[in-house]
Structures are given as C-alpha cells and as structure tokens.
Amino acid sequence: MRFAFTEEQEELRRTVRKLLDRHGGPVVPAPEEPDPGYDTALWKQLGEIGAHGLAVAEEHGGVGATLLETLIVVEELGRRLVSNPFLGSTVLSAQALLATGNTGACARLLPAIADGEQIAALSWAEPNSPWHAATFATTARPRGTGWLLTGHKTLVLDAAQADVLLVVAMADGEASLFEALPGSTVTPSVPVDLTRRMGEVRLAGTPARFIGRAPLRRMADVAAAAIAAEQIGAAQRWLQETVEYTKIRKQFGRPIGSFQAIKHRLADCYAAIESARSLSYAASWAVSTQDDRASELASMAKSACGDAYSQIAAEGVQLHGGIGITWEHEAHLHLKRAHAAKHLFGTPQHHRAALLP
C-alpha cells in the first residue's frame, strides 16, 4: 500500500498541534481534589477550527471532510494526553449515528455534535461482554410509539458529561442503536487512566428512541483505528521526551543516553513505534474509505500500537528515574493510559486472535 497525507491534511495536523502545544495537556486532579472535568475553552477552540465536524457532511452541520482527517486530530490529542470527549463524542458517537443510515436522526443530532455544542456518549460494552458481541444483556421493548431500555452498560466514555446518550441494546433479536431519553442512572467511575472520563449507565425501563440496527462491525473498526491513532501520537511524543531526558540525566558523570545499553533500549522503542505507526496510518485510511481490509488493518493497528505504547511508557518511567514516579511528572500518566488503552475496545491478544483464519 502506497499512502501519503495531502498538504491540506498536513496543514490540519500543524494547526491542531500548534493549538494543543499552546493550550493542550491532561486535566488531572490531585488525589485529594474533585475531578475538574475537561478544558471547555480548548473544546470550544477545537470547534472553532472545525475539528468536531470534520467527518460530518455539510448537510448535517459538518465540514464534509473524511474520517481520516478526524483521526489526524485524534493522534494529535493523544500526543498531548488531552482530556476531553473528542474520542467518545466526535468520533465514536458520530460515526455510529452515520453508520445506521437514519438520516432523520443524523439531521436531528449531528449538527450539535459537529460544532461541539452537545456531547454524545456511546453506551456499548457490558460487564463481562466482549466489545464485538452480537448479543447483549441490555434489552429494548416497545411501548406505544417508543421503546423502553433495561440493562447495565460500563466503560462509557464521558458518560457524566454527555448531553446525548446512545445505547446499544437487543430489540427483536438484533443489536440496535437507541437514543436514551431522560431516566437513566449515570455513575462516574474511577478509571486507571486519570486523563479519560468514564462511567456506568443503568437503565430500568428508560424511555428511548429507535435509531437503527447497530453497526457493530463498523463501530469496532472505528474504535480500534481511533485508539491506535491516539496511542501512536502519545508514544511518539513520549519517546522524544525520554530521549531528550537521557541527554541530561547523568550517572557516573556521564549522560545516561551515552551508554550503549540505553541506546539499544531506545532504538528498540523507535523501531516498535515506526512499525506501529505504519499500521496506524493504514488502518485510518482503510476505515475512512471503508476498504475491504478495514477490519483486518484496524485489528493489526490496535494490537501493534498498544504493545508499542506500553513498551515506551514503561521504558520512559525507568529512564526518567526518581522524577518518573512522582505525581507531578507526566510519566505515570503515560503508563496508566498505555495500560488502560490496551484493554479499551479489545486487548492486543483479542485482536490478534481475530486475525486468525
């Protein structure tokens, strides 16, 4: 596969990177402080440059670009460990709505999502259920012209911040997508990754609108490609930060970066990241164009990027020494995000198993 970003796409990357270098970064509360949420000013600035609506058609209030441009933004957000609802709302929820083909629901919900005025959350996973499950314990039963939802959803990105709650539930034996109306119970959870807000959603006869049959395969592919892009962005910057630190941290009167053993470890990290980055870009392209290889490449990218990021996150903590285990330094944030992201939307082992004939 021969692939290269266009000049317009590279300019988008530069624009987003400049914005995030000035204002981006994780929003992490101290252990004794309440969760401050996400940076609403940065969220608004992303909306002003059109980031939220890149993959949404102009008829629904978007920019009319493609998912590939959106995943470029995801990579840059990952690079700075930005804490905001972009992945859950702008990527997963918007793409799930588009994939149902329900033009009425898209016209009603997407404009506010595309300009960042409303945040959407996709309630998908359930306790002890795989991400690709074709059946769920959450059910929907008709009542009059609407539906009632009953079930328990977990690992819901930005559940507590959401204005629109989308729920995957079984209706007439098929996995379907619904818009839950007021009535669900949302409980924020305390995730391993402190830069990502999650929650649990309990539904007990919650009124809902039917949107369409849930495009589970498409949702899984988009999620895997997006997490891979986020991981590779974070891994590349963290490796750069670690390399720079090895040039100034000294042992035995010399920078540790001058020792051959350290050079080998950093070279191994670089090789892993470069290989994973190629797969990430291939998956982003395939999922954006809905190529026949989208599922295969998305699984390959999720597996490779998860392993590469975990490797450099762990090496970075070790090579930073004592400062790398302090709360004030971002080293622990990379270690926690790498660990948590490996399990989100399927572990590397799960995705490798999916590639078996």
Side-chain angles (χ1 to χ4, degrees), residues 1-353:
M1 177 189 299
R2 297 180 63 87
F3 170 79
F5 290 110
T6 65
E7 179 55 36
E8 290 79 7
Q9 290 166 342
E10 292 292 358
E11 180 59 31
L12 170 66
R13 183 188 300 280
R14 288 190 290 268
T15 300
V16 175
R17 180 169 297 188
K18 287 179 182 177
L19 173 62
L20 298 180
D21 283 345
R22 289 196 305 269
H23 306 291
V27 178
V28 180
E32 69 280 2
E33 295 177 352
D35 186 353
Y38 63 96
D39 187 341
T40 55
L42 177 60
W43 182 257
K44 183 178 179 180
Q45 288 176 310
L46 287 169
E48 289 171 351
I49 65 173
H52 301 308
L54 285 168
V56 177
E58 293 182 55
E59 64 190 90
H60 297 316
V63 175
T66 72
L67 182 60
L68 182 58
E69 283 78 14
T70 300
L71 295 181
I72 290 173
V73 178
V74 171
E75 182 181 339
E76 293 303 311
L77 291 170
R79 176 178 172 270
R80 298 294 304 186
L81 295 181
V82 173
S83 312
N84 68 27
F86 195 90
L87 177 63
S89 181
T90 304
V91 183
L92 301 183
S93 296
Q95 289 299 310
L97 283 169
L98 288 167
T100 63
N102 186 330
T103 55
C106 288
R108 180 167 50 82
L109 297 174
L110 282 178
I113 296 173
D115 63 17
E117 285 187 2
Q118 288 193 333
I119 294 169
L122 181 60
S123 302
W124 178 5
E126 298 180 356
N128 303 316
S129 72
W131 293 96
H132 294 72
T135 60
F136 295 91
T138 301
T139 58
R141 57 184 176 87
R143 189 186 70 171
T145 58
W147 295 77
L148 297 178
L149 302 177
T150 302
H152 177 199
K153 294 294 185 178
T154 188
L155 300 176
V156 182
L157 299 182
D158 310 296
Q161 290 79 31
D163 304 294
V164 177
L165 183 63
L166 303 178
V167 179
V168 177
M170 297 302 295
D172 299 327
E174 292 190 76
S176 303
L177 188 67
F178 293 85
E179 177 194 357
L181 302 176
S184 60
T185 301
V186 177
T187 305
S189 57
V190 182
V192 172
D193 178 8
L194 299 175
T195 67
R196 201 188 306 276
R197 274 76 186 165
M198 290 189 182
E200 297 194 357
V201 176
R202 296 185 181 275
L203 306 140
T206 303
R209 294 191 185 98
F210 177 79
I211 294 178
R213 296 308 174 190
L216 295 180
R217 182 71 264 173
R218 174 66 175 170
M219 289 161 54
D221 292 346
V222 170
I227 286 289
E230 181 185 88
Q231 288 172 319
I232 210 62
Q236 289 181 109
R237 178 174 166 273
W238 184 228
L239 178 59
Q240 293 169 357
E241 295 286 333
T242 302
V243 169
E244 291 303 313
Y245 192 73
T246 62
K247 296 176 182 179
I248 60 174
R249 181 188 172 197
K250 292 185 178 180
Q251 292 289 334
F252 309 108
R254 295 170 54 189
I256 65 170
S258 66
F259 296 122
Q260 194 71 14
I262 301 299
K263 293 179 181 179
H264 286 169
R265 290 166 67 176
L266 292 173
D268 287 343
C269 289
Y270 178 78
I273 289 174
E274 286 301 297
S275 298
R277 182 170 62 155
S278 297
L279 282 171
S280 175
Y281 290 167
S284 293
W285 170 83
V287 171
S288 177
T289 60
Q290 301 195 44
D291 186 83
D292 291 340
R293 295 163 291 176
S295 295
E296 177 184 6
L297 288 170
S299 286
M300 292 171 68
K302 177 64 166 65
S303 175
C305 293
D307 286 343
Y309 187 26
S310 293
Q311 179 182 353
I312 181 54
E315 290 283 15
V317 170
Q318 287 195 11
L319 295 177
H320 275 78
I323 195 174
I325 58 173
T326 61
W327 183 268
E328 291 75 17
H329 200 275
E330 69 175 317
H332 73 100
L333 299 179
H334 283 283
L335 190 67
K336 292 169 182 175
R337 173 166 282 200
H339 177 75
K342 283 183 71 171
H343 292 80
L344 196 60
F345 309 122
T347 64
Q349 294 81 0
H350 169 88
H351 284 279
R352 285 194 286 270

